[in-house]
Amino acid sequence: MKVIDILRTAAKPFASFELVPPLKGSDVARLYESLDPLMAFKPPFINITCHRDEVEYVPNADGTFTKMTLAKRPGTVAIVAAIMRRYPQIEIVPHVICGGASRSKIESELLDLHFLGIQNVLALRGDAMPGTSRFVAERDGHAHAEQLVEQIINMNNGKFIDGEPDTSHNTDFCIGVAGYPEKHVESPNYLTDMGYLKQKVDAGAEYIATQICYDADKIIAFRDKCAEININVPILPGLKPFASKTQLTVLPQTFAVDLPQELVDRVVRCKNNDDVKQVGIEWAIQMGEKLQKAGFPVLHFYTMTRTEQVQQIVKALM
């Protein structure tokens, strides 16, 4: 079932979850350990992130270095197949990214996902390579998520990169995209960023999952601004419970989020990270209640690989 249909026909509020694939060498049981407790909440769909290959320079005996491209996590198709095997009742939303991929590689991955029966994807540009200051598209790749959305829509219409239309073998993906209640870190300002979001929706995206945000009022204002500029698709607020004092600096640097002063003060007063986690649970519940009251029926939780906090939050909200 497509995510857009789930969102439109849901009879009551629900939670969806996003998980990160385990590092290579980890057993698939690690992934199941994260997912199993979440099944008690009967999520209709879960997201699984995608990570581009990384470049490392390995020293040689003569003092030179060899450039190597390494995959740090299992591929999207393998992860999706593993999840489908254990949880056939749940729709899976794999992330598809522009970073590190040509149009041909993207088409091949999408065809594999279509072959598996996947109907949903989240189309993202992806981050810049680690250690670099800006995103660089691959040769014959995409520089922006809007272009990726267009490629997927073309495949849905039976138009593939070889130029030969084949409407009898078209894909049928529902496409989600990311939205930024506090703007993308690379955007010059909020209004420009909203314009980029509208381009993605106009290209064919059917719903928006927001980047993490710790201010419910900003998410509500983001939804209202979307309506003002005629972005009329469902919006899934993205929540990630605060878990450690180091996140006071890491999260603003990584995600360009502005932490509310009340939250900062509460975290600073904590004696240890166990106390911080409790603050994170209470803050997320408070946010969730406000968002639900404002009319958001779905809350999207970024769980990474640890789900203990999220379980407590969802129990309190759903």
Side-chain angles (χ1 to χ4, degrees):
M1 189 175 186
K2 293 183 177 180
V3 167
I4 189 61
D5 296 324
I6 294 171
L7 298 175
R8 287 173 176 165
T9 61
K12 60 181 181 179
F14 67 87
S16 59
F17 307 105
E18 178 175 306
L19 285 94
V20 176
L23 290 168
K24 70 177 182 180
S26 297
D27 189 274
V28 70
R30 290 287 300 275
L31 179 64
Y32 296 156
E33 287 172 5
S34 297
L35 280 168
D36 281 347
L38 300 177
M39 295 303 105
F41 304 110
K42 296 182 169 56
F45 61 88
I46 57 171
N47 283 36
I48 191 75
T49 63
C50 173
H51 298 263
R52 66 186 297 169
D53 294 345
E54 296 184 18
V55 173
E56 292 187 1
Y57 291 87
V58 180
N60 300 315
D62 60 2
T64 62
F65 291 83
T66 299
K67 180 179 178 181
M68 298 185 66
T69 302
L70 304 173
K72 295 296 184 72
R73 300 179 189 271
T76 298
V77 174
I79 289 292
V80 166
I83 297 173
M84 292 177 70
R85 181 176 63 181
R86 188 171 182 94
Y87 315 103
Q89 76 280 14
I90 296 175
E91 296 296 335
I92 305 167
V93 185
H95 292 191
V96 178
I97 62 174
C98 304
S102 65
R103 291 189 305 141
S104 176
K105 181 178 179 181
I106 290 168
E107 181 175 283
S108 178
E109 182 175 273
L110 288 167
L111 288 172
D112 285 346
L113 292 171
H114 176 67
F115 184 79
L116 285 174
I118 296 298
Q119 291 186 291
N120 302 286
V121 294
L122 194 74
L124 306 167
R125 190 202 68 175
D127 298 326
M129 285 285 290
T132 63
S133 60
R134 65 187 182 90
F135 180 88
V136 177
E138 294 297 303
R139 181 177 299 178
D140 194 34
H142 300 309
H144 306 286
E146 173 200 356
Q147 298 166 330
L148 174 56
V149 173
E150 290 173 348
Q151 180 177 0
I152 301 170
I153 291 294
N154 282 338
M155 292 179 64
N156 284 351
N157 292 327
K159 299 176 183 177
F160 299 90
I161 59 175
D162 61 8
E164 292 294 327
D166 188 358
T167 55
S168 64
H169 295 93
N170 54 297
T171 57
D172 188 26
F173 291 112
C174 169
I175 308 168
V177 291
Y180 298 85
E182 299 178 80
K183 93 172 184 64
H184 190 278
V185 63
E186 297 175 20
S187 290
N189 57 58
Y190 182 75
L191 291 179
T192 299
D193 197 53
M194 292 299 293
Y196 293 149
L197 177 61
K198 182 167 173 54
Q199 289 175 6
K200 292 188 286 188
V201 173
D202 289 347
E206 296 182 74
Y207 69 95
I208 297 164
T210 78
Q211 179 59 278
I212 62 171
C213 180
Y214 291 90
D215 189 331
D217 288 333
K218 288 183 178 179
I219 296 175
I220 295 167
F222 170 76
R223 179 196 61 186
D224 295 344
K225 186 62 178 179
C226 283
E228 181 183 322
I229 63 174
N230 203 30
I231 297 177
N232 298 309
V233 297
I235 296 172
L236 282 60
L239 305 179
K240 177 178 172 25
F242 221 86
S244 70
K245 286 198 171 187
T246 59
Q247 289 181 336
L248 286 171
T249 53
V250 171
L251 291 176
Q253 292 174 1
T254 305
F255 299 105
V257 296
D258 189 15
L259 301 176
Q261 189 60 46
E262 181 186 348
L263 174 60
V264 173
D265 291 342
R266 291 179 63 180
V267 171
V268 169
R269 290 196 297 267
C270 290
K271 295 180 180 179
N272 51 51
N273 283 338
D274 286 338
D275 292 345
V276 174
K277 289 177 181 177
Q278 185 57 41
V279 168
I281 291 169
E282 294 168 0
W283 190 268
I285 291 172
Q286 175 185 316
M287 280 190 66
E289 290 174 342
K290 190 167 189 176
L291 291 168
Q292 288 176 327
K293 187 176 180 179
F296 289 93
V298 182
L299 301 177
H300 187 65
F301 289 92
Y302 295 99
T303 69
M304 306 302 285
T305 58
R306 302 185 66 87
T307 66
E308 294 86 354
Q309 283 179 286
V310 170
Q311 292 175 55
Q312 294 185 53
I313 295 163
V314 177
K315 284 179 182 178
L317 291 170
M318 301 297 173

